[in-house]
């Protein structure tokens, strides 16, 4: 099943959140479990957003909305078997709702069916799990993310000439979103005249493995590399490190995703072409409020369905140096004080994030 459309604007999102607090119960509160416990199961920690944004925002919102509730948290470290164990542990400890960001969508089906058998509802977070009964999906349109990344790369490098081309550094092959990112990327590359020199599925989304692979490709292709599609900011950092080590200056255009602080700084300095901002705080908040609503026996309507699952899909935004202030700074993602530290002060001045030095 493909997430075909982005349908949730800020207004639609606010409506769903508001409804979570006012819809009359339509089924027994709590279902299975102890009626006051929510489990948040995240897939890995190499992508910084999970520990720095998703988890703390989710836990804070649950505490605000339901002081008597508790959150059981676990991170699978990109290990599907470990996530299975963590889910079983959460169910044993009385979880009534699972918010599940699957390491592997196929393996996660058994988590959902086991939870359902115990009367526990599951919210798919960030990644759709197909062919199983889910309460909600809260995610971004990964096809659109890949399309934004691909179009940025096409715009930056233009049609390939001679034996030049680009490298494609995809995410983990076990991540169900990666196939969707590839679909969007292919839409952007199709008919663009950009040649793909080589591509790689990065195990565990590992920046180190991405760096190692790009180093190997640079040995073969050298200056023929016009640019690099990197599926997220971690792999982008690995690719940029490899190109810096190979002496490429300036670094060819590189894409990214997640608007991590390090990536924003690389955009300011010119080392990274773009990233894709996803309102992860809103995503975590929405999932937390829906989880609390489910505990209370409420079923707020969602603005869309994906594969028969009520879905809240949020809109991704391409971020470049041109709109970085509007999206990242004014949007409250990262303040100037965090971005513009040494050695980025001069680049921040050039980008208009800091005032020019007084010549007097």
């Amino acid at each position: 099943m493909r997430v075909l459309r982005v349908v949730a604007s800020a207004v639609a999102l606010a409506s769903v959140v508001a409804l979570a607090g006012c819809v009359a119960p339509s089924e027994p509160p709590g279902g299975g479990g102890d009626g006051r416990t929510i489990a948040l199961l995240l897939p890995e920690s190499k992508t910084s957003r999970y520990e720095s944004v998703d988890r703390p925002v989710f836990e804070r919102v649950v505490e605000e909305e339901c002081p008597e509730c508790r959150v059981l948290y676990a991170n699978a470290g990109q290990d599907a078997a470990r996530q299975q164990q963590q889910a079983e542990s959460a169910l044993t400890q009385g979880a009534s709702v699972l918010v599940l960001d699957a390491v592997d969508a196929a393996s996660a089906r058994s988590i959902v069916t086991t939870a359902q058998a115990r009367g526990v509802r599951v919210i798919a977070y960030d990644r759709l799990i197909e062919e199983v009964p889910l309460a909600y999906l809260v995610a971004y349109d990964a096809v659109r993310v890949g399309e934004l990344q691909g179009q940025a790369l096409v715009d930056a490098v233009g049609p390939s000439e001679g034996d030049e081309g680009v490298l494609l550094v995809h995410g983990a092959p076990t991540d169900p979103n990666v196939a969707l990112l590839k679909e969007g990327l292919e839409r952007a590359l199709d008919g663009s005249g950009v040649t793909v020199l080589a591509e790689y599925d990065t195990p565990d989304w590992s920046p180190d493995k991405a760096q190692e692979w790009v180093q190997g490709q640079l040995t073969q292709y050298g200056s023929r590399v016009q640019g690099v599609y990197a599926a997220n900011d971690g792999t982008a950092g690995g690719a940029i490190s490899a190109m810096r080590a190979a002496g490429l200056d300036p670094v060819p255009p590189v894409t990214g995703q997640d608007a991590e602080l390090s990536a924003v700084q690389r955009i300011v300095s010119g080392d990274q072409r773009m990233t894709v901002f996803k309102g992860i705080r809103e995503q975590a908040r929405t999932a937390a409020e829906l989880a609390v609503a489910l505990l209370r026996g409420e079923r707020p309507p969602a603005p869309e369905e994906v594969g028969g699952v009520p879905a809240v899909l949020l809109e991704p935004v391409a971020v470049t140096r041109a709109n970085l202030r509007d999206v990242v700074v004014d949007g409250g993602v990262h303040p100037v004080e965090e971005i513009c530290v040494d050695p980025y002060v001069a680049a921040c001045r050039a980008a208009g994030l800091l005032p020019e030095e007084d010549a007097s």
Side-chain angles (χ1 to χ4, degrees):
M1 190 69 193
R2 293 294 182 261
V3 179
L4 296 177
R5 290 186 294 158
V6 174
V7 299
S9 65
V11 173
L13 178 62
S15 299
V16 172
V17 170
L19 284 168
C22 65
V23 175
S26 59
E27 49 191 273
D34 61 17
R36 62 181 182 85
T37 300
I38 299 166
L40 175 63
L41 306 178
L42 297 182
E44 48 100 353
S45 57
K46 290 185 178 180
T47 303
S48 66
R49 54 163 281 197
Y50 292 115
E51 297 295 335
S52 65
V53 181
D54 298 77
R55 177 188 180 181
V57 170
F58 186 94
E59 291 177 337
R60 184 179 70 250
V61 172
V62 170
E63 184 177 5
E64 291 171 353
E65 296 293 317
C66 185
E68 72 276 15
C69 295
R70 64 170 179 154
V71 175
L72 299 175
Y73 172 72
N75 190 302
Q78 200 61 44
D79 185 328
R82 182 185 300 173
Q83 191 165 67
Q84 293 272 352
Q85 296 166 356
Q86 291 169 341
E88 182 62 38
S89 174
L91 293 171
T92 300
Q93 293 180 68
S96 296
V97 177
L98 301 185
V99 178
L100 175 60
D101 194 341
V103 172
D104 183 306
S107 298
R109 290 173 188 162
S110 64
I111 295 176
V112 179
T113 54
T114 299
Q116 183 199 31
R118 301 187 189 187
V120 173
R121 301 173 191 90
V122 179
I123 297 173
Y125 183 75
D126 215 33
R127 300 164 182 174
L128 178 64
I129 307 166
E130 297 179 312
E131 301 175 5
V132 286
L134 297 167
Y136 292 99
L137 168 68
V138 181
Y140 279 81
D141 185 342
V143 174
R144 180 60 179 154
V145 172
E147 192 171 13
L148 289 173
Q149 293 170 318
Q151 190 58 56
L153 187 63
V154 169
D155 292 343
V157 304
S160 300
E161 297 181 2
D163 56 0
E164 295 179 333
V166 300
L167 303 175
L168 308 183
V169 183
H170 303 295
T174 56
D175 184 338
N177 275 347
V178 169
L180 303 180
L181 291 169
K182 288 181 179 180
E183 181 179 326
L185 174 63
E186 288 170 4
R187 289 183 186 177
L189 294 181
D190 186 35
S192 68
V194 174
T195 299
V196 175
L197 298 175
E199 56 188 308
Y200 177 63
D201 291 326
T202 309
D204 302 335
W205 288 95
S206 168
D208 292 340
K209 292 174 182 176
Q211 180 175 347
E212 182 181 353
W213 182 78
V214 172
Q215 285 173 340
Q217 300 310 303
L218 290 173
T219 300
Q220 179 176 354
Y221 296 110
S223 61
R224 293 165 55 191
V225 176
Q226 294 177 287
V228 177
Y229 165 82
N232 75 346
D233 290 335
T235 53
I240 290 166
S241 294
M243 290 189 286
R244 281 286 185 203
L248 297 183
D249 187 18
V251 172
V254 180
T255 67
Q257 175 187 183
D258 291 330
E260 293 183 358
L261 176 59
S262 58
V264 170
Q265 290 169 329
R266 290 193 296 266
I267 291 171
V268 169
S269 68
D271 285 338
Q272 185 168 325
R273 177 73 175 188
M274 62 85 71
T275 187
V276 176
F277 169 70
K278 303 179 297 184
I280 298 167
R281 290 177 176 84
E282 292 303 319
Q283 184 178 359
R285 170 174 288 279
T286 301
E289 297 213 19
L290 288 174
V292 171
L294 289 175
L295 279 186
R296 294 171 174 162
E298 301 163 357
R299 293 299 296 267
E304 181 61 284
E305 282 194 358
V306 176
V309 178
V312 180
L313 307 178
L314 297 102
E315 185 171 4
V317 179
V319 178
T320 65
R321 209 167 185 233
N323 67 346
L324 190 150
R325 174 179 281 281
D326 290 342
V327 177
V328 174
V329 177
D330 295 345
V333 184
H334 301 297
V336 168
E337 293 75 18
E338 288 184 0
I339 300 168
C340 298
V341 298
D342 286 331
Y344 301 103
V345 173
C348 279
R349 288 198 175 99
L353 297 181
L354 290 175
E356 293 290 339
E357 289 184 297
D358 189 346
S360 63

